[in-house]
């Protein structure tokens, strides 16, 4: 159980515990996660998934997976599959309970007929534009449609003709007859059905009228016996309508809607519309681009489901909206990978290091620890030889004061190997660029310690040139430079805040040979460089591509203050 979860239950769990205590719904708890299959799931959805599935489990109840597929123009079965894969990968199981709002279209149509018969719904023939004008504003009441008082018979006939395809899109809609003067604009005779002459990915051409979210969602919940319908705060005003619909109809159960604050994450966007735009305009390489805040992108980047779930537990559930710092998510990823990722050595920006007093042709195998956090991970043997690669930035010919790594005359430790002392450099005769660093080693320091007790100020990672394998490595930064890219200045678009350095591709990186066995999806810590995983899409046998999942530098300290202030609210 996560640290966060052992604390006081959040307001939703308190409400549910109270309902159970009072014996509502016979003490049953049944939730659902209701994605619309019009895009991939993102980290905000992960928050809703964790909440719904974990609450159900804690109260001994069930959680359904329901596709809210009432808008065929934007939906696609490909998204259905992607969503199922993501929920499963996060570690949740909906058992047999995979449902679709479209499975209820017949039943929903019946309910609509009942509303008409009860004089609580009517077919409106105003245009969309007129309906908008008649709706009024926050300060002014709306105006009743001239079609509002059609007879039940006329409404039944017109609605049947809508269903039969006799009208064009926008020619008429079915509206609830509630109150055009309601202070809640959503209650001013909301639309229940509209005409869309679009085939549906599950019902084909059977329907050309489709129910609106506010009509379909509450009734789907009721049909499935959902007890607690958890949704984000933007649906707060819809609750009155949710309850109104359920109050008018003989539904089999009476669910309760509870709203919580959506997750906002810094330096990214969490709206499917915006994410789709990034994909369609080619700003990223698909929904599963490792820079995307999607579950699929994070999986490809190397995040673990455990880290994402821990993140969701830590942010908790509340009523107040805030922006959570991306660094908190990275902190959770780092903590999880620290426990499980084997350490290896890799050089991203190679510089040759030649050990002058090490015999040519000799090689030896040095023992390296696989994971200091996990002794059961054991050790491995890493080949060492006369010519190595070190990181270009680990050498400076004229080092400034605080540079403690390799420089002419200076001695450093090569991790798991020996002390080496720099004796000079070799330059490219044309460009003058340093192409090789020369050094000598002290055979008495094998394993990395000097018997005479002398110290060095730096330990470098390295790879034996003759044994190294080559790889492409991709480094990532935030997708957006602005903390809140949703906050768009006038005349700009959120894409104007994309970070031009969000992806850096390094070719010809040198890795220790044990990585030849790495499989797509495997995760490692490259010592001193961060956590990396083998890309599942672009890696080829013998030509691995590694994604940097996260750096080793934890910027969480700054975030911590923010988390504290979140809790105090
Ligand atoms: P988006 O705003 O990205 O388009 P959506 O709400 O339209 O998302 P749905 O597929 O309808 O996407 O969402 C399924 C469920 O996930 C809903 O219950 C919704 O409230 C919840 N959800 C969506 N975004 C977030 C978020 N950022 N934080 C928490 N829950 C979210
Ligand atoms: Mg939605």
């Amino acid at each position: 159980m996560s640290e966060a979860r052992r604390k006081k239950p959040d307001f939703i769990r308190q409400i549910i515990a109270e309902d159970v205590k009072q014996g509502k719904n016979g003490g049953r708890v049944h939730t659902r996660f209701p994605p619309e299959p019009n895009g991939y799931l993102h980290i905000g959805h992960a928050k809703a998934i964790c909440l719904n599935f974990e609450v159900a489990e804690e109260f001994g109840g069930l959680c359904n997976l329901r596709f809210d597929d009432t808008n065929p123009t934007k939906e696609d079965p490909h998204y259905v599959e992607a969503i199922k894969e993501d929920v499963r990968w996060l570690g949740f199981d909906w058992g047999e309970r995979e449902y679709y709002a479209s499975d209820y279209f017949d039943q929903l149509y019946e309910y609509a007929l009942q509303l008409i018969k009860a004089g609580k719904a009517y077919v409106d023939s105003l245009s969309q534009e007129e309906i908008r004008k008649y709706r009024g504003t926050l300060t002014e009441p709306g105006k009743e449609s001239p079609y509002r008082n059609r007879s039940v018979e006329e409404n039944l006939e017109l609605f049947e003709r809508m269903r039969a395809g006799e009208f064009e899109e926008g020619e008429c809609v079915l509206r609830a007859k509630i109150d055009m003067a309601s202070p809640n604009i959503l209650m001013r005779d909301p639309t229940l059905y509209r005409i869309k002459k679009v085939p549906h990915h599950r019902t084909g051409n059977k329907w050309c009228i489709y129910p609106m979210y506010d009509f379909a969602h509450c009734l789907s919940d009721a049909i499935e016996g959902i007890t607690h319908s958890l949704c984000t705060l933007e649906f707060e005003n819809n609750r009155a309508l949710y309850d109104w619909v359920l109050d008018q109809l003989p539904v089999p159960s009476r669910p309760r809607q509870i709203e919580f604050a959506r997750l906002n994450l810094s330096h990214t966007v969490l709206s499917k519309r915006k994410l789709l735009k990034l994909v369609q305009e080619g700003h990223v390489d698909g929904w599963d681009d490792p820079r995307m805040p999607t579950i699929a992108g994070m999986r490809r980047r190397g995040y673990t489901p455990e880290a994402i779930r821990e993140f969701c537990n830590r942010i908790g559930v509340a009523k107040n909206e805030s922006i959570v710092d991306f660094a908190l998510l990275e902190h959770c990823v780092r903590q999880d990978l620290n426990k499980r990722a084997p350490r290896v050595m890799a050089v991203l920006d190679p510089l040759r290091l030649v050990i002058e007093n090490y015999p040519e042709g000799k090689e030896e195998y040095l023992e390296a620890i696989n994971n200091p956090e996990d002794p059961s991970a054991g050790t491995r043997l890493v080949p060492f030889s006369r010519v190595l690669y070190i990181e270009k930035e680990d050498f400076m010919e004229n080092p400034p004061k605080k540079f403690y790594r390799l420089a002419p005359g200076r001695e450093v430790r090569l991790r798991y190997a020996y002390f080496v002392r720099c004796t000079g450099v070799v330059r490219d005769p044309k460009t003058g660029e340093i192409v090789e660093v020369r050094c000598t080693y002290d055979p008495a320091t094998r394993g990395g310690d000097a018997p005479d007790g002398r110290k060095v100020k730096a330990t470098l990672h390295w790879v034996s040139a003759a044994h190294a394998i080559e790889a492409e490595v991709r480094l990532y930064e935030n997708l957006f430079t602005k903390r809140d890219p949703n906050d768009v200045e006038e005349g700009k678009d959120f894409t104007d805040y994309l970070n031009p350095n969000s992806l850096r591709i390094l070719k010809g990186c040198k890795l220790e040979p044990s990585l030849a066995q790495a499989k797509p999806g495997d995760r490692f810590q490259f010592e001193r460089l961060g956590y990396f995983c083998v890309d599942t899409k672009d890696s080829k046998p013998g030509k691995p591509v590694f994604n940097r999942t996260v750096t080793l530098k934890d910027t969480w300290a700054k975030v911590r203050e923010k988390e504290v202030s979140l809790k105090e609210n």
Side-chain angles (χ1 to χ4, degrees), residues 59 94 169 202 206 212 239 303 343 346 357 408 427 453:
F59 288 91
W94 56 90
E169 287 187 17
R202 288 177 60 87
K206 180 171 176 194
M212 300 296 287
R239 191 186 340 125
Y303 287 21
R343 275 58 170 169
N357 60 340
R427 289 172 194 285

Side-chain angles (χ1 to χ4, degrees), residues 95-126:
E96 305 287 288
R97 297 175 312 284
E98 176 180 329
Y99 300 127
Y100 295 81
S102 57
D103 291 345
Y104 312 136
F105 281 172
D106 285 296
Q107 173 80 64
L108 298 177
Y109 183 77
E110 283 305 314
Y111 281 137
L113 292 178
Q114 288 182 40
L115 280 186
I116 295 172
K117 287 176 191 158
K120 288 168 181 165
Y122 62 98
V123 173
D124 196 354
S125 303
L126 288 180

Side-chain angles (χ1 to χ4, degrees), residues 2-5 7 10-11 13 43-48 50-51 260-265 270 307-320 322-329 332 556 559 562-563 566-567:
S2 94
E3 213 177 295
R5 182 47 44 76
K7 295 180 193 134
D10 56 63
F11 80 100
R13 288 171 166 90
I43 183 79
H45 293 115
K47 173 176 176 171
C50 289
L51 176 64
F260 62 94
R262 59 184 286 118
L263 169 65
N264 300 299
L265 198 57
L270 296 183
I308 293 175
R309 288 173 68 162
E310 173 62 15
F311 170 74
C312 291
N313 279 328
R314 283 182 93 133
I315 56 173
V317 180
K319 272 272 184 198
N320 56 317
S322 64
I323 299 180
V324 176
D325 207 295
F326 210 103
L328 173 56
L329 175 57
C332 294
W556 165 238
V559 178
K562 224 162 272 157
E563 204 199 33
L566 263 178
K567 283 210 188 91

